[in-house]
Amino acid sequence: MSAVQPSLIDRIIRDDVRAMGAYHVPDSHGLVKLDAMENPYQLPPALREQLGKRLSEVALNRYPVPTSEALRAKLKSVMQVPAGMEILLGNGSDELISMLAMAAAKPGAKVLAPVPGFVMYAISAQFAGLEFIGVPLRADFTLDRGKMLRKMAEEQPAIIYLAYPNNPTGNLFDAEDMDMIVRAANGDVCNSLVVVDEAYQPFAQNSWMPRLADFSNLLVMRTVSKLGLAGIRLGYMAGSPAWIEQLDKVRPPYNINVLTEATALFALEHVDVLDEQAAQLREQRSLLSAQLAALPGVTVFPSDANFLLIRVANAAQTFERLVSRKVLIKNVSKMHELLANCLRVTVSTPEENAQFMEAFVASLQD
Ligand SMILES: *Cc1c(COP(=O)(O)O)cnc(C)c1O
């Protein structure tokens, strides 16, 4: 095999791409996996068997119907998308975030979001050649209204992301703060598209979906990943047909594969099962949060998501000690200065939460 000349790579591949690291997914083999906000439950065996039959009938030899008409209609009704709104499907909401960046990438265009926040907003902006403006939250992770408005006025962003609840902090932003920002972005301070990212909606029971009718500059984005279907990669974004029509042009024509479509349709027919799992996880969240809060030297932040953000004395050390006890969580302490010594743990089954707690307590005492 002849070696690839580094100079040729330098000539072809963008400087910023060569300079970056790959999106790192740690090896979780043999570990209790509490790092990625997955739902720990599978579908019940009887439903899995039915799904197997359904999938065996899917025409693998055919391209998907490019509009995914049936799945879009099902999502609209199950997820209570307001009448008159349209939806766009993505291969995970990650793909929708890329599509938004691609479609808005005029020269000099900017993306603005509170930080610490979901990293893909910044990464997708960079890939598409947009500038990313991060506006720090307050120390308690609430929105800093003054700072947001000032930056919105100064930077005139094309797109503003508000994750509701926010990742990695877990909190729902204050309703009045959100309202004010969406209004201000609707012409008063800037003219921006506001994307409310509701990836954790099943755990929040609070949504901007009904507000779509109130704001013409609003899109609501969701995913089935945290609901229990992370493996099928399906995200959706709801909003005015005028926006969706434009964004649909940058969507790869067959981005939702036939197995994903069939699985999602099946799962949505049984969404009560997934809703019940989410309810159990919400209950476990309260229990775990109370247990953690009772530990000396540990701060637990309020969460409306399926994870908890916690602050300890030495996050790097606690993280490593947990790994040595076969528990994998996420050390987010280097993501942003506001997250100093913070760890993020996914809420799981009672058994896995107990394993985590035991390992965590031991890791603090070593
Ligand atoms: C997990 C997550 C997503 C991405 O979800 P996928 O649909 O799995 O790509 C989007 N936004 C936030 C805030 C998330 O935490």
Side-chain angles (χ1 to χ4, degrees):
M1 200 179 78
S2 71
V4 179
Q5 290 301 312
S7 61
L8 184 60
I9 289 182
D10 292 357
R11 214 172 82 81
I12 307 278
I13 304 295
R14 282 160 44 170
D15 296 351
D16 62 326
V17 172
R18 278 188 284 113
M20 52 186 303
Y23 188 89
H24 178 63
V25 179
D27 182 16
S28 59
H29 189 78
L31 304 180
V32 180
K33 192 172 184 316
L34 303 174
D35 65 329
M37 283 80 85
E38 290 145 330
N39 175 345
Y41 300 107
Q42 296 226 36
L43 290 174
L47 286 185
R48 281 156 68 181
E49 204 163 304
Q50 282 179 42
L51 173 60
K53 287 213 184 75
R54 187 83 72 90
L55 291 181
S56 74
E57 285 151 18
V58 170
L60 300 180
N61 56 321
R62 300 291 178 195
Y63 281 104
V65 176
T67 55
S68 306
E69 189 55 46
L71 179 53
R72 286 191 303 120
K74 187 77 183 166
L75 276 168
K76 279 187 203 169
S77 75
V78 173
M79 300 301 174
Q80 293 164 25
V81 175
M85 296 298 155
E86 198 38 85
I87 63 173
L88 180 67
L89 304 183
N91 191 328
S93 37
D94 285 352
E95 188 182 51
L96 294 169
I97 297 167
S98 298
M99 283 158 54
L100 280 160
M102 204 188 307
K106 293 191 182 190
K110 296 172 185 176
V111 171
L112 182 146
V115 288
F118 187 49
V119 290
M120 293 312 292
Y121 308 148
I123 293 175
S124 296
Q126 184 197 332
F127 284 167
L130 291 96
E131 188 184 343
F132 178 78
I133 312 291
V135 183
L137 295 168
R138 294 206 188 90
D140 62 358
F141 305 131
T142 56
L143 282 169
D144 188 331
R145 276 200 203 199
K147 226 182 268 174
M148 283 294 288
L149 289 182
R150 200 163 352 107
K151 280 293 186 185
M152 286 161 62
E154 266 171 39
E155 307 285 357
Q156 295 293 312
I159 299 173
I160 299 171
Y161 283 101
L162 294 168
Y164 189 75
N166 190 40
N167 173 13
T169 58
N171 55 318
L172 283 175
F173 295 134
D174 177 75
E176 260 179 51
D177 289 351
M178 293 269 294
D179 213 274
M180 194 207 53
I181 288 166
V182 181
R183 260 174 230 287
N186 205 7
D188 291 350
V189 167
C190 55
N191 287 287
S192 315
L193 180 58
V194 180
V195 181
V196 175
D197 180 351
E198 298 191 345
Y200 299 96
Q201 182 273 333
F203 311 99
Q205 298 177 296
N206 213 335
S207 171
W208 271 66
M209 193 66 91
R211 309 290 305 276
L212 279 175
D214 301 344
F215 298 101
S216 60
N217 64 329
L218 175 69
L219 295 174
V220 174
M221 183 168 70
R222 290 194 189 159
T223 174
V224 298
S225 293
K226 278 70 187 210
L227 185 60
L229 301 166
I232 72 172
R233 311 303 300 130
L234 179 68
Y236 58 101
M237 189 158 60
S240 171
W243 286 117
I244 302 299
E245 179 191 347
Q246 297 306 321
L247 294 168
D248 192 46
K249 295 175 187 174
V250 298
R251 180 178 62 82
Y254 304 113
N255 64 330
I256 307 303
N257 75 70
V258 290
L259 296 174
T260 292
E261 183 174 34
T263 306
L265 276 169
F266 180 83
L268 291 169
E269 288 165 22
H270 303 281
V271 76
D272 51 319
V273 175
L274 298 175
D275 288 343
E276 173 55 31
Q277 293 174 351
Q280 283 182 37
L281 292 168
R282 291 196 300 270
E283 202 179 306
Q284 286 301 312
R285 177 181 67 202
S286 320
L287 294 173
L288 189 60
S289 171
Q291 287 169 17
L292 286 165
L295 296 174
V298 176
T299 306
V300 193
F301 294 93
S303 171
D304 283 282
N306 63 341
F307 61 86
L308 292 170
L309 184 75
I310 51 190
R311 178 169 279 137
V312 295
N314 185 339
Q317 186 185 60
T318 306
F319 173 82
E320 286 306 332
R321 288 175 175 175
L322 280 167
V323 171
S324 73
R325 294 184 165 87
K326 306 276 180 244
V327 175
L328 181 66
I329 64 170
K330 180 125 174 145
N331 180 2
V332 295
S333 56
K334 294 287 181 286
M335 270 181 65
H336 193 273
E337 58 193 14
L338 289 173
L339 295 173
N341 280 316
C342 284
L343 300 166
R344 188 189 67 193
V345 58
T346 309
V347 177
S348 185
T349 60
E351 297 73 26
E352 288 197 344
N353 295 338
Q355 272 175 285
F356 162 72
M357 271 308 287
E358 192 185 336
F360 186 68
V361 169
S363 297
L364 292 174
Q365 287 166 351
D366 273 338

